[in-house]
Amino acid sequence: MAHDTESASGEHIVSPMLYVGIFLFLMVMTALTVFAASVDLGWANPVVALVIATMKATTVILFFMHVKYSTRMTQIVIVGALFFLFLLLGLTLTDYLSRGWMSFPTH
Amino acid sequence: MEQQRETATFGMWIFLITEIMFFGGMFAAYLIYRLSYYQAWVDGSNRMDIKLGAFNTAVLILSSLTMAMAVHSAQVGKRNLLILFLIATLILGCVFLGVKAVEYHDHWLNHEVPGQYFSDLDEHGVSKGWTDTSHTSLYFALYFAMTGMHATHMIIGAGLLIWLIIASYKGKFTPGYFSPVENVGLYWHFVDIVWIYLFPLLYLISKKHSG
């Protein structure tokens, strides 16, 4: 990114062209996820949708929210928060899924 | 100045992390109940208007671009562009809320608001073919809780944008001081990310699983 510079208060300035590129990527991924929903992938439908959503969210966090250029402490705290979100969702699921209570189709 | 700016941004992230855990609780509830009452979730999800949902997703992503451009304009000290991009973000946020209101109204007419008038018959008295109406009501309760809480965040964001527009007009922000613009930007992008997950989970993933 040869056009990137620093502002008066010392932080990284992302070029508008990169922002537009990120925007186009997000729009393409949105179109892709809507298309993927119209194809019967069985159990993989939610997986594909969530993988695409996570790619979009990661792009927004890294570039629109400037985390790629943030201090190391901010980055570590965000990764730590995602770990606790994983504990919330992951440990709840391991409990429920291991009890045979759920009615979702497994084929 | 740089340390002050970094501290403000770090504080904003700590707040956003509490927001992640707040929405995370609702996502966990959604996940458990979808796995528990799968057919009810498919039935409820198939009542969503994917065209309106996709349109709103595009509107919100575009508003994130204009918000990022507003922060950029503040960084390089272009006051008029800053005001312009903030107004564009505000308008796009209002478009999103308007479309959401149309969807809510449609659910209202079709007896899809949980409560006394919740029904598997649509506004013309035609059956929607639901197999588990009581748990489809649970789907809609979570749908309204999650999108309602998301919309509440959008309304707060719109208020913050109006505040920023007035402050920018008064010339409060310079390339050396624009933390409010940057941190409202972080908030706006966070709300966008919540929708990035809500759209596939509520609208898309059950489309091909009708039976």
Side-chain angles (χ1 to χ4, degrees):
Chain A
M1 281 151 273
H3 301 294
D4 288 6
T5 47
E6 288 203 341
S7 82
S9 59
E11 86 289 350
H12 189 96
I13 295 184
V14 182
S15 87
M17 286 310 290
L18 181 61
Y19 283 143
V20 173
I22 298 298
F23 165 74
L24 292 176
F25 171 76
L26 292 171
M27 293 301 268
V28 169
M29 293 311 269
T30 303
L32 189 65
T33 194
V34 171
F35 170 74
S38 68
V39 184
D40 191 352
L41 302 170
W43 59 269
N45 269 119
V47 177
V48 168
L50 286 175
V51 166
I52 292 175
T54 303
M55 286 169 71
K56 288 164 74 181
T58 307
T59 318
V60 171
I61 290 171
L62 285 180
F63 295 99
F64 280 171
M65 298 173 94
H66 300 161
V67 170
K68 186 170 186 282
Y69 316 102
S70 291
T71 59
R72 185 51 56 92
M73 184 160 78
T74 306
Q75 293 172 344
I76 288 171
V77 164
I78 292 164
V79 171
L82 294 178
F83 171 72
F84 281 102
L85 183 66
F86 164 77
L87 284 188
L88 170 67
L89 298 173
L91 290 187
T92 310
L93 273 185
T94 53
D95 187 3
Y96 274 87
L97 289 178
S98 59
R99 288 171 190 266
W101 289 345
M102 313 316 239
S103 71
F104 70 100
T106 48
H107 53 272
Chain B
M1 282 304 276
E2 186 177 353
Q3 195 190 2
Q4 287 178 8
R5 194 190 56 79
E6 280 171 2
T7 308
T9 301
F10 184 72
M12 190 66 201
W13 268 107
I14 297 294
F15 167 68
L16 290 182
I17 284 163
T18 69
E19 290 271 80
I20 289 171
M21 297 314 282
F22 170 64
F23 277 98
M26 286 192 284
F27 278 103
Y30 170 92
L31 203 57
I32 297 301
Y33 284 127
R34 181 176 192 269
L35 296 172
S36 302
Y37 309 112
Y38 183 77
Q39 190 55 47
W41 247 240
V42 171
D43 290 343
S45 184
N46 283 331
R47 297 294 301 168
M48 298 295 130
D49 189 329
I50 291 181
K51 278 185 191 138
L52 288 182
F55 175 78
N56 254 355
T57 307
V59 167
L60 219 48
I61 290 172
L62 184 59
S63 82
S64 261
L65 174 67
T66 56
M67 190 70 228
M69 287 307 298
V71 174
H72 179 83
S73 306
Q75 283 177 326
V76 296
K78 289 181 178 161
R79 178 169 155 269
N80 290 341
L81 270 181
L82 167 62
I83 295 171
L84 199 69
F85 279 122
L86 288 175
I87 291 174
T89 310
L90 178 62
I91 292 172
L92 290 165
C94 292
V95 169
F96 177 93
L97 287 169
V99 172
K100 204 71 223 151
V102 169
E103 289 184 78
Y104 276 11
H105 182 67
D106 204 43
H107 293 307
W108 171 269
L109 288 180
N110 284 293
H111 307 287
E112 282 156 4
V113 180
Q116 189 182 356
Y117 298 104
F118 192 81
S119 167
D120 62 344
L121 304 178
D122 71 8
E123 58 179 321
H124 307 296
V126 180
S127 170
K128 299 167 196 163
W130 290 350
T131 52
D132 185 0
T133 304
S134 64
H135 288 127
T136 306
S137 170
L138 187 59
Y139 169 87
F140 275 101
L142 273 170
Y143 164 80
F144 281 112
M146 294 169 96
T147 60
M149 196 43 72
H150 178 263
T152 306
H153 278 76
M154 294 282 299
I155 293 167
I156 294 168
L160 292 170
L161 281 170
I162 291 169
W163 166 58
L164 286 185
I165 290 165
I166 294 169
S168 314
Y169 181 76
K170 288 179 179 166
K172 299 245 192 225
F173 304 123
T174 64
Y177 172 71
F178 57 90
S179 280
V181 183
E182 190 175 14
N183 291 335
V184 170
L186 289 179
Y187 176 86
W188 193 264
H189 296 311
F190 165 78
V191 176
D192 185 21
I193 288 172
V194 172
W195 184 258
I196 282 175
Y197 281 96
L198 284 179
F199 174 54
L201 287 176
L202 293 170
Y203 291 71
L204 294 179
I205 55 176
S206 300
K207 190 184 175 192
K208 279 289 164 188
H209 296 238
S210 49

